[in-house]
Amino acid sequence: MAPKQLKLKNNLIKNRCLLTIRLAIYSQRFLIKSMQLIGATKNFIRKPFITYGIIHGLLGSLIAILLLILTLKLAQQQIPELVFLRNWFEFAIIFLGVICIGILISGLSTYFAVTKYLKAQSNDLYR
């Protein structure tokens, strides 16, 4: 696969994840504004959304790790010469990195999506 196609595919995946989070927050925009009108603080409003975002990031990263492990096992069965696939310490570091990145991306994107609707005026919610 050409680098340009790979970059395009990565951008599509990234945009799809961010749009999914934005859509979930968009559907709750009236709840966010209602909580704000009642007097809830911004952090009180953000907390449940960010918690769910982190949980979804963790689940997504665990699914990615499971698929990676299955791919590695299949590669070892099909090509026995792949000796470098036996160092599980390096894979543990990669798996930890995947989990951290999954949590970080989903948590930050949820934070920014909620902040967008916390800053919005009531009239802007209908647009």
Side-chain angles (χ1 to χ4, degrees):
M1 188 177 290
K4 193 171 189 177
Q5 291 174 337
L6 186 61
K7 186 176 179 182
L8 179 64
K9 186 176 181 180
N10 287 339
N11 285 338
L12 289 174
I13 292 170
K14 182 178 71 171
N15 288 339
R16 177 175 265 181
C17 292
L18 293 177
L19 287 176
T20 303
I21 292 171
R22 285 187 198 156
L23 184 61
I25 302 299
Y26 178 79
S27 68
Q28 299 292 324
R29 67 190 187 280
F30 293 113
L31 176 66
I32 291 171
K33 188 51 73 177
S34 298
M35 291 172 73
Q36 211 172 16
L37 290 172
I38 291 172
T41 62
K42 291 181 179 184
N43 288 331
F44 183 80
I45 297 170
R46 280 187 196 119
K47 187 177 178 181
F49 291 105
I50 292 175
T51 303
Y52 285 123
I54 288 172
I55 290 170
H56 288 145
L58 179 65
L59 291 175
S61 62
L62 291 177
I63 291 170
I65 288 171
L66 179 68
L67 291 174
L68 185 59
I69 289 172
L70 292 174
T71 304
L72 290 172
K73 288 291 186 184
L74 182 67
Q76 280 181 341
Q77 290 174 356
Q78 297 296 324
I79 308 169
E81 295 86 23
L82 292 176
V83 177
F84 69 91
L85 293 178
R86 295 185 183 159
N87 189 357
W88 289 102
F89 178 73
E90 292 175 359
F91 289 119
I93 293 172
I94 292 172
F95 296 159
L96 185 63
V98 168
I99 290 172
C100 291
I101 289 172
I103 290 172
L104 183 70
I105 289 174
S106 64
L108 282 176
S109 56
T110 304
Y111 174 83
F112 290 126
V114 172
T115 301
K116 175 184 174 183
Y117 290 107
L118 285 172
K119 291 180 180 179
Q121 300 295 322
S122 296
N123 294 337
D124 296 335
L125 298 177
Y126 296 101
R127 294 180 190 179

